[in-house]
Amino acid sequence: MTMAPERIDLRVELLLDQRWFAICDLTDLIPGRGVAALLPDGTQVAVFLDRAGRPYAIDNRDPFTGAYVLSRGLLGSADGRPFVASPLLKQRFDLETGRCLDDETVTVQAYATRMEEAVAA
Amino acid sequence: MTKSAPKTETAPTIVLVGHGMVGQRFLEALADRGVTARARVVVLCEEPRPAYDRVQLTSYFSGRTPDDLSMVEDGFMERHGIELHLGDPAETIDREARTVTARSGLTVTYDSLVLATGSYPFVPPVPGKDSEGCFVYRTVEDLLAIEEYAKDRATGTVVGGGLLGLEAAGALKGLGLTTHIVEFNARLMALQVDDGGGAALRRTVEDMGLIVHTGVGGKEITADVGGAVTAMALSDGSSIDTDLVIFSAGVRPRDQLARDCGLDIGERGGIAVDERCRTSDPAVYAIGECALTADGRVYGLVAPGYEMAQTVADDLAEVSCDGFTGADTSTKLKLLGVDVASFGDAHGTADGCLDVVYSDSRAGVYKKLVIGADGELLGGVLVGDADSYGMLRPLTGSVPPVAPEQLVLPAGLGAPAALGPSALPDEAVICSCHNVTKGSIRSAVTDHECVTVPEVKKCTKAGTGCGSCVKTLTTLVNDELEASGISVDKGLCGCFGYTRAELYEIVRTLRITTYAQLLDSHGREEARTGDGCEVCKPAVGSIIASLAPTLGASGYVLDGEQAALQDTNDHFLANLQRNGSYSIVPRIPGGEITPEKLIVIGEIARDFGLYTKITGGQRIDLFGARVDQLPVIWSKLVDAGFESGHAYGKALRTVKSCVGQTWCRYGVQDSVRMAIDLELRYRGLRSPHKLKSAVSGCARECAEARGKDFGIIATSNGWNLYVGGNGGAEPRHADLLAQDLDDEGLIRLIDRFLMFYIRTADRLERTSAWLERIEGGLDHVRDVVVNDSLGLCAELEALMADHVAGYRDEWAETINDPERLRRFVSFVNAPESPDPTVAFVPERDQVKPDLTLLSGPNIPVRTARTLEGTSSR
């Protein structure tokens, strides 16, 4: 048997109070879809991966219905910017700013994200 | 004192009193004519907010915020230098000194004064009318007060069964109150409709659960010791227990300001004006509902008010105009969901006129046309079905191109299909709110190079008032574009310029197996390599799934890239409910189920605390599962012999059946066996929209097969196949495709029919709409699938054979695959934690979602209003 080369896993992190908080492994995400995650204070965030492999994070709560479901919406892009469409009533939210594209008075919180190497043996 | 105008020292000053819809239209008309650039314009407004759409006031209760209702474009006042004073009504006018003084003490000197004070609700002099809990229905503030007061009240009464009264009643009902309507006249909407129309309207309104009292008035309102309303005594001696009363018994012109400064007032109120809308003082104008116009009428509609606003703007701009000599009072409304329209001489007052009436009390449809002695259309009343309003109103005054009786018949009963907007003359008024003719709409396309309906709306304003003409407008614009040789963009969405049917052919012939491949090769240039959108992803996912066995692609909807294309319901193989929980529907083919299986469903529901309800498709829906509970519930169901019912997919749902000849003394075939065979054959078939079916064992039709996409009714000789039926919002009876088929013949024909539909339908187009749209209609479909006119039948049958052979249960596939199961957790970083926001409270011995957990810092009011336009992008 040959030794397996050192495996490099990528981890998705989001910026929380000036500190990077690890959410999940990149392999937990499917391009074009999202997952829900819990922050230490119990807040729910929706984390997405676009087709190009970039991660995004916004609030999981759909402000139009109150349900915590944005992570289950479909991703798309409009004018080159990624959005998620709420699975309930289909309003779209910009993934970088959290701004609702169908009602400019509504915004959800967006979080900065990055991918960090987690070296495993 | 007032600050000096930003214009030149000598700029004249125009003061507008009242900032309602007509006032705002007046300001826009001034701006359009360049008057705002050379005159100082000051607006005094009583209400605390700028002009809003009072006509749509009731939509506040369906989720539109006061801001949504605003009529004023952002920055409009600033851009035109208009000084708007909110919450500061004009109190006195000194015509001698030409000044207006507002409540705050602000005094403005005017060169021209325009009164647009509107009207106030008439409150009949009923004893007790000032009790707590009595309201009028006129402003946003009124609505907010009603909403607040109704919170813990049970019953409400609306005095007045006219247009506004019905709106108010609808609003009370929407707030959950038992609602009474008290109308002094013998019928509802006495002004607009005749007795027959009133009767149809009443029946429909009562069917909605409202309680209607006509021919009676309120005699007295009684209150408790605290002064709050408790009941209302009626003139016939009866009494209604009620917690709240809304007066909506008509409006009166607000002319007090004009009376106080000595302007001429009509005998029954209204500020008298001439054709140029000038009052008895030529420096003072009056427009809208406060004005008594040159034809001796006070108009309570917005369209005549707009015309008056433009007349005054023309006068001030010194543009010649015809003046305001009277207006069309035609209206089309949707009240409580019922279409009501009246136009022209609706009551048949002209000499020698005759009626043509179509009345279907069962369906709540009433249509009357008034025809003059020479055969010309003079007017009419439409209740319950006002689709033809857009055509009939412009025809008023002319002899219709077809016999009048044909104009009132419902589609399919001899109504001429060809009589569309193309039959109208150029001078026909299409949009009566903005007085836009067919000719202007056509020239917007030909001369102003508008290529879409929104552009034409912007250019002509047509369709931006009440919106009732948008359907006619769209047809006209598309006709004109086609005539000009401009192709209309029929693309699926912003990502694809192809229709769904075209994409189906591309996928099939080029054997494309992934969405990304299709987007990058056949998407619009700007959309390639992007992320697509929520419209085309599920549509393409469905096409690939339909063709999967034939393409050699995986048909499992959660495989690879397919997983990212599915709407959330398909993605989790269950139906998302309002609190983020899911419902589960196991397949029960034909509605036949053993006691053992019923017990298993009962046990699962009990053990997991699920709410159970029998569906319309003869199966059982289990509500309230968290995403992390889905796999274990499926496992138990699969172990007991159940499989997915595809209630979440655009796919075959159920094949309903009656009990058939096995038990029923009338049955002539075994409808249950046929239903089971069909359901098992077509289960899992992905299609442009959901598919429903039913099999009835005899002509009594207990399975309601003619309300289905494909319905089968037994005959003594075999089976009759009906297609294109639908229940729902637009019910349609299915049409007979073929009769007296044997079992094999029936199945072969359904195979072909379904595959032809899947191949040619648009996204989310049910078979009913498809059959109506497709060129040649039913006859063409019959030619293709029965007579094989396109030589396609062998291929269609082969596609279905591939589907049947390739079917696998999606639930079983999922629970047997650990990789797929990873997705079914509430939180990726806490797979063991359930979602705390998905919780339940008791309701009638079961559970319902606990919605209090979903209320955020600002509790949302919207619940079921989908955003328009997301599908047409």
Side-chain angles (χ1 to χ4, degrees):
Chain A
M1 289 268 281
T2 52
M3 283 281 286
E6 192 177 58
R7 200 159 56 92
I8 298 174
D9 285 339
L10 283 174
R11 213 166 51 195
V12 178
E13 300 183 342
L14 65 78
L15 193 57
L16 203 60
D17 299 332
Q18 326 283 307
R19 290 183 45 221
W20 289 101
F21 177 78
I23 291 286
C24 60
D25 290 339
L26 183 62
T27 52
D28 291 329
L29 298 174
I30 305 173
R33 287 225 88 102
V35 296
L38 275 179
L39 299 185
D41 66 351
T43 305
Q44 295 193 18
V45 290
V47 184
F48 303 93
L49 196 65
D50 72 5
R51 185 178 167 191
R54 282 182 297 258
Y56 304 89
I58 61 172
D59 267 350
N60 193 29
R61 181 172 181 274
D62 172 11
F64 291 95
T65 59
Y68 291 76
V69 294
L70 289 185
S71 58
R72 299 181 218 160
L74 269 176
L75 255 61
S77 53
D79 303 327
R81 297 180 63 86
F83 66 80
V84 64
S86 167
L88 280 168
L89 302 180
K90 308 295 179 204
Q91 292 92 348
R92 298 166 303 155
F93 297 87
D94 187 295
L95 291 181
E96 286 174 351
T97 62
R99 205 168 49 82
C100 176
L101 303 182
D102 300 297
D103 183 343
E104 57 191 25
T105 64
V106 176
T107 301
V108 297
Q109 188 174 348
Y111 299 82
T113 58
R114 68 172 185 185
M115 277 188 289
E116 192 62 10
E117 290 182 4
V119 182
Chain B
M1 261 316 285
T2 54
K3 61 178 176 168
S4 64
K7 327 281 183 211
T8 64
E9 284 299 312
T10 54
T13 301
I14 299 169
V15 176
L16 169 67
V17 176
H19 191 223
M21 297 173 77
V22 170
Q24 173 62 20
R25 168 47 59 87
F26 170 68
L27 296 176
E28 287 169 15
L30 283 185
D32 286 348
R33 288 160 181 73
V35 179
T36 45
R38 52 179 193 268
R40 177 182 174 217
V41 180
V42 180
V43 186
L44 299 175
C45 173
E46 178 178 36
E47 289 191 54
R49 63 189 83 242
Y52 54 87
D53 191 345
R54 215 183 292 281
V55 175
Q56 304 288 337
L57 196 58
T58 305
S59 67
Y60 167 76
F61 288 118
S62 49
R64 281 178 80 179
T65 63
D67 284 347
D68 292 338
L69 291 169
S70 173
M71 302 285 292
V72 186
E73 210 179 296
D74 275 350
F76 173 83
M77 299 293 166
E78 296 76 16
R79 208 161 49 245
H80 297 290
I82 298 171
E83 302 164 39
L84 171 63
H85 300 273
L86 293 175
D88 197 10
E91 290 207 320
T92 52
I93 297 169
D94 182 342
R95 292 200 285 123
E96 204 64 8
R98 293 205 173 176
T99 58
V100 187
T101 304
R103 182 176 294 164
S104 65
L106 171 76
T107 298
V108 191
T109 306
Y110 64 80
D111 295 281
S112 303
L113 174 65
V114 179
L115 302 175
T117 46
S119 54
Y120 65 90
F122 168 67
V123 177
V126 186
K129 67 182 168 56
D130 297 320
S131 307
E132 192 189 328
C134 289
F135 297 91
V136 295
Y137 197 84
R138 178 79 186 159
T139 65
V140 166
E141 274 60 38
D142 293 336
L143 262 61
L144 296 174
I146 291 168
E147 186 182 36
E148 179 63 32
Y149 194 82
K151 260 183 195 152
D152 35 279
R153 305 297 201 287
T155 307
T157 302
V158 175
V159 178
L163 202 155
L164 213 55
L166 293 184
E167 290 250 353
L172 282 186
K173 182 171 175 284
L175 290 170
L177 271 62
T178 302
T179 304
H180 295 264
I181 302 171
V182 175
E183 167 58 49
F184 189 73
N185 281 289
R187 58 171 186 269
L188 297 173
M189 285 191 74
L191 270 185
Q192 287 85 6
V193 306
D194 58 4
D195 283 338
L201 187 61
R202 175 177 186 143
R203 203 167 300 112
T204 314
V205 167
E206 287 179 336
D207 282 349
M208 290 171 194
L210 288 96
I211 305 152
V212 180
H213 313 261
T214 52
V216 291
K219 207 170 67 184
E220 187 177 357
I221 291 167
T222 49
D224 60 16
V225 285
V229 174
T230 54
M232 181 170 191
L234 301 182
S235 57
D236 63 357
S238 65
S239 171
I240 304 169
D241 288 335
T242 188
D243 304 317
L244 182 159
V245 174
I246 297 179
F247 291 105
S248 192
V251 293
R252 299 285 183 271
R254 282 185 81 181
D255 50 19
Q256 196 58 46
L257 202 55
R259 285 177 195 269
D260 292 346
C261 69
L263 292 172
D264 286 354
I265 304 292
E267 255 176 51
R268 292 192 293 163
I271 308 166
V273 297
D274 63 11
E275 292 184 359
R276 285 158 68 190
C277 295
R278 288 182 308 186
T279 66
S280 49
D281 177 344
V284 183
Y285 298 83
I287 56 177
E289 298 185 342
C290 65
L292 173 69
T293 58
D295 61 345
R297 300 177 62 175
V298 173
Y299 288 92
L301 293 170
V302 72
Y306 284 176
E307 266 188 68
M308 291 181 228
Q310 284 172 340
T311 302
V312 175
D314 282 339
D315 212 48
L316 292 172
E318 291 167 9
V319 176
S320 72
C321 85
D322 300 339
F324 182 89
T325 53
D328 182 13
T329 54
S330 301
T331 37
K332 180 185 170 201
L333 308 142
K334 207 175 190 78
L335 287 167
L336 298 164
V338 190
D339 281 328
V340 178
S342 85
F343 57 98
D345 182 6
H347 293 288
T349 54
D351 279 344
C353 67
L354 293 168
D355 294 347
V356 175
V357 176
Y358 172 84
S359 171
D360 178 354
S361 315
R362 238 165 30 107
V365 173
Y366 176 87
K367 300 182 190 182
K368 180 181 83 171
L369 298 183
V370 178
I371 307 295
D374 300 324
E376 73 274 24
L377 177 65
L378 296 179
V381 175
L382 308 169
V383 175
D385 172 12
D387 279 356
S388 51
Y389 174 77
M391 276 301 302
L392 291 173
R393 193 189 42 73
L395 283 173
T396 308
S398 65
V399 177
V402 297
E405 58 271 24
Q406 299 222 310
L407 294 172
V408 293
L409 283 177
L413 275 183
L419 183 61
S422 56
L424 294 172
D426 265 357
E427 54 275 17
V429 174
I430 301 299
C431 170
S432 59
C433 295
H434 295 282
N435 199 21
V436 185
T437 62
K438 176 179 167 186
S440 323
I441 291 167
R442 290 181 52 199
S443 81
V445 176
T446 50
D447 303 341
H448 300 280
E449 296 175 359
C450 298
V451 292
T452 64
V453 173
E455 282 174 31
V456 173
K457 282 165 111 174
K458 203 165 174 196
C459 174
T460 62
K461 288 205 160 197
T464 60
C466 70
S468 68
C469 64
V470 171
K471 206 170 160 187
T472 311
L473 175 70
T474 306
T475 313
L476 277 176
V477 170
N478 286 344
D479 285 357
E480 203 57 39
L481 285 171
E482 249 164 59
S484 318
I486 298 164
S487 63
V488 182
D489 190 339
K490 290 176 180 152
L492 183 65
C493 60
C495 309
F496 286 99
Y498 295 100
T499 64
R500 182 195 170 279
E502 288 166 341
L503 289 175
Y504 180 98
E505 290 307 317
I506 291 165
V507 169
R508 191 181 61 85
T509 50
L510 299 181
R511 306 183 81 79
I512 293 174
T513 54
T514 70
Y515 171 83
Q517 198 187 339
L518 186 67
L519 181 65
D520 295 349
S521 60
H522 290 82
R524 295 183 199 259
E525 206 61 57
E526 63 275 18
R528 294 186 184 183
T529 73
D531 274 271
C533 76
E534 79 285 9
V535 172
C536 57
K537 277 178 159 180
V540 171
S542 162
I543 292 173
I544 293 173
S546 300
L547 285 167
T550 309
L551 298 174
S554 165
Y556 179 73
V557 295
L558 300 190
D559 259 355
E561 188 221 35
Q562 268 281 19
L565 303 180
Q566 310 299 330
D567 269 327
T568 188
N569 285 351
D570 269 304
H571 192 60
F572 289 99
L573 308 173
N575 292 47
L576 182 64
Q577 304 297 331
R578 59 186 299 180
N579 68 336
S581 68
Y582 285 89
S583 82
I584 299 167
V585 184
R587 182 168 303 290
I588 300 178
E592 185 182 83
I593 186 165
T594 62
E596 286 71 25
K597 282 186 154 180
L598 274 176
I599 290 167
V600 170
I601 289 181
E603 285 173 345
I604 291 172
R606 184 194 57 206
D607 295 350
F608 288 86
L610 305 177
Y611 167 81
T612 52
K613 189 169 188 312
I614 309 290
T615 72
Q618 300 185 336
R619 39 197 201 171
I620 300 170
D621 207 339
L622 308 163
F623 290 83
R626 285 192 319 268
V627 67
D628 47 286
Q629 293 176 316
L630 291 172
V632 50
I633 294 173
W634 295 336
S635 296
K636 289 181 184 292
L637 287 167
V638 169
D639 286 347
F642 287 105
E643 62 179 357
S644 163
H646 294 99
Y648 46 81
K650 304 299 176 215
L652 178 82
R653 295 287 171 82
T654 72
V655 184
K656 208 174 144 175
S657 69
C658 69
V659 75
Q661 73 167 7
T662 320
W663 292 87
C664 176
R665 61 197 156 124
Y666 299 114
V668 293
Q669 302 284 348
D670 186 350
S671 50
V672 179
R673 182 194 52 78
M674 180 52 79
I676 294 172
D677 287 354
L678 293 177
E679 186 158 342
L680 296 182
R681 182 170 183 81
Y682 303 121
R683 62 186 167 182
L685 179 66
R686 282 333 206 246
S687 52
H689 210 311
K690 60 187 170 190
L691 286 168
K692 297 183 177 183
S693 178
V695 184
S696 275
C698 79
R700 283 180 170 72
E701 242 285 70
C702 296
E704 297 165 329
R706 290 193 66 195
K708 305 297 179 193
D709 294 284
F710 59 105
I712 296 97
I713 301 177
T715 68
S716 46
N717 302 319
W719 307 98
N720 286 354
L721 174 58
Y722 294 83
V723 295
N726 201 355
E730 288 186 38
R732 182 183 190 278
H733 263 145
D735 296 314
L736 181 65
L737 184 66
Q739 46 192 340
D740 293 332
L741 299 159
D742 60 16
D743 289 6
E744 292 72 33
L746 173 68
I747 288 168
R748 192 162 56 235
L749 197 51
I750 299 174
D751 283 0
R752 296 172 179 177
F753 171 79
L754 290 178
M755 276 301 173
F756 187 55
Y757 160 68
I758 290 170
R759 181 175 199 141
T760 54
D762 271 340
R763 164 186 172 270
L764 299 185
E765 186 176 42
R766 290 290 293 271
T767 56
S768 56
W770 169 72
L771 209 53
E772 298 272 341
R773 173 187 61 86
I774 196 167
E775 212 169 308
L778 178 69
D779 290 338
H780 172 65
V781 172
R782 186 183 287 119
D783 263 357
V784 174
V785 301
V786 178
N787 306 327
D788 201 6
S789 62
L790 297 181
L792 274 178
C793 286
E795 188 184 330
L796 297 174
E797 284 174 38
L799 283 167
M800 189 62 84
D802 284 344
H803 162 76
V804 174
Y807 170 79
R808 287 170 295 169
D809 173 29
E810 290 163 359
W811 287 354
E813 300 248 305
T814 305
I815 54 182
N816 292 325
D817 183 337
E819 189 53 35
R820 289 165 181 163
L821 282 178
R822 281 177 62 208
R823 195 169 307 142
F824 293 86
V825 293
S826 288
F827 303 108
V828 66
N829 59 348
E832 305 301 318
S833 307
D835 183 344
T837 69
V838 177
F840 303 90
V841 291
E843 169 93 333
R844 291 188 295 276
D845 298 331
Q846 296 201 63
V847 297
K848 68 173 182 181
D850 183 356
L851 296 179
T852 59
L853 296 173
L854 307 183
S855 312
N858 34 16
I859 300 169
V861 271
R862 302 163 221 223
T863 51
R865 185 178 138 245
T866 46
L867 286 185
E868 282 176 23
T870 43
S871 60
S872 54
R873 257 192 337 268

